[in-house]
Amino acid sequence: GAVVSQHPSWVICKSGTSVKIECRSLDFQATTMFWYRQFPKQSLMLMATSNEGSKATYEQGVEKDKFLINHASLTLSTLTVTSAHPEDSSFYICSANEAARDARETQYFGPGTRLLVL
Amino acid sequence: GQNIDQPTEMTATEGAIVQINCTYQTSGFNGLFWYQQHAGEAPTFLSYNVLDGLEEKGRFSSFLSRSKGYSYLLLKELQMKDSASYLCALKGYGQNFVFGPGTRLSVLP
């Protein structure tokens, strides 16, 4: 299957700072990438859909000015958590679909980034 | 919107068979997917259904009935490493996925 990487895998930061997380599709082009957040013992919650060359689409309740998403190329999307607070501490996971649209096509998940805000 | 329901926790014995159910209410979807997620790791793809019926893939099988709004994941010959969370997800027409709450499966020796 296709490979998606995330960097960093772990980040600890002070409250008020900004953190950037990168999501890369390594062996395929991804016109669409998705950003999820997962709290302990809960399921994945979609935050936003990142579209190459256009603005991201945010889910209801997700602040677009706090979670900045940039999808500058077909292989890279970034999520920046601005002015992070302890309640932003979570497991952030990205995923990507291949460019070919297919009902059978699954999403390929990155390994996730664990963020801890002190 | 989409409303997906799964049992929160299940326990089974090594070597046994377990069925994890997923019920949903939605106006339409492209396919239903099952993922396995070990603690602290990203989900990994297990199986998917687009049409009604059973899809078999080794020790894992998944079933879908669109008319009943129901799917299940069947795990055979359970192994200790199968202890994980199992997520069903609906793939919308816009390529986005909506995940169910997940079922934590514990496999006991």
Side-chain angles (χ1 to χ4, degrees):
Chain A
V3 178
V4 175
S5 70
Q6 268 184 255
H7 177 79
S9 55
W10 264 100
V11 59
I12 301 174
C13 69
K14 293 182 179 180
S15 185
T17 60
S18 294
V19 175
K20 179 186 281 188
I21 303 171
E22 291 187 350
C23 177
R24 293 181 185 272
S25 56
L26 298 184
D27 53 359
F28 67 101
Q29 293 184 331
T31 54
T32 305
M33 290 183 171
F34 301 90
W35 287 96
Y36 296 87
R37 181 167 53 183
Q38 187 176 33
F39 293 106
K41 296 189 177 182
Q42 294 187 23
S43 190
L44 281 75
M45 296 299 296
L46 179 66
M47 298 175 65
T49 302
S50 173
N51 302 298
E52 186 267 336
S54 64
K55 291 183 178 180
T57 304
Y58 291 83
E59 295 298 301
Q60 191 173 7
V62 178
E63 300 175 55
K64 62 180 182 180
D65 294 330
K66 180 169 181 63
F67 299 99
L68 301 178
I69 291 173
N70 183 275
H71 195 153
S73 76
L74 286 172
T75 60
L76 173 64
S77 176
T78 60
L79 168 68
T80 301
V81 183
T82 62
S83 186
H85 291 284
E87 58 264 31
D88 297 325
S89 299
S90 187
F91 191 44
Y92 292 86
I93 307 174
C94 73
S95 70
N97 291 358
E98 288 198 58
R101 299 170 70 89
D102 187 331
R104 298 166 296 174
E105 188 60 56
T106 185
Q107 289 190 354
Y108 300 101
F109 287 91
T113 297
R114 195 163 298 282
L115 170 64
L116 177 61
V117 184
L118 303 177
Chain B
Q2 294 160 323
N3 187 23
I4 305 172
D5 196 27
Q6 295 179 242
T8 304
E9 293 186 4
M10 297 184 70
T11 302
T13 305
E14 192 175 15
I17 299 173
V18 70
Q19 177 175 312
I20 302 174
N21 295 328
C22 172
T23 58
Y24 60 86
Q25 293 175 327
T26 182
S27 56
F29 62 99
N30 245 338
L32 190 145
F33 289 71
W34 283 94
Y35 292 86
Q36 179 192 62
Q37 186 179 26
H38 286 98
E41 298 180 13
T44 55
F45 168 71
L46 290 178
S47 183
Y48 76 89
N49 296 76
V50 177
L51 303 175
D52 284 4
L54 186 68
E55 293 286 342
E56 297 189 78
K57 200 173 181 180
R59 293 192 299 118
F60 300 95
S61 303
S62 59
F63 172 84
L64 174 65
S65 170
R66 284 181 178 261
S67 61
K68 295 181 179 178
Y70 168 66
S71 172
Y72 67 73
L73 178 71
L74 196 69
L75 292 79
K76 303 176 186 176
E77 301 171 15
L78 280 175
Q79 302 174 10
M80 299 297 290
K81 67 178 182 179
D82 296 330
S83 293
S85 288
Y86 292 85
L87 311 172
C88 75
L90 295 176
K91 182 177 182 180
Y93 296 118
Q95 304 301 310
N96 61 303
F97 281 64
V98 177
F99 284 85
T103 298
R104 284 194 301 278
L105 174 66
S106 298
V107 180
L108 305 177

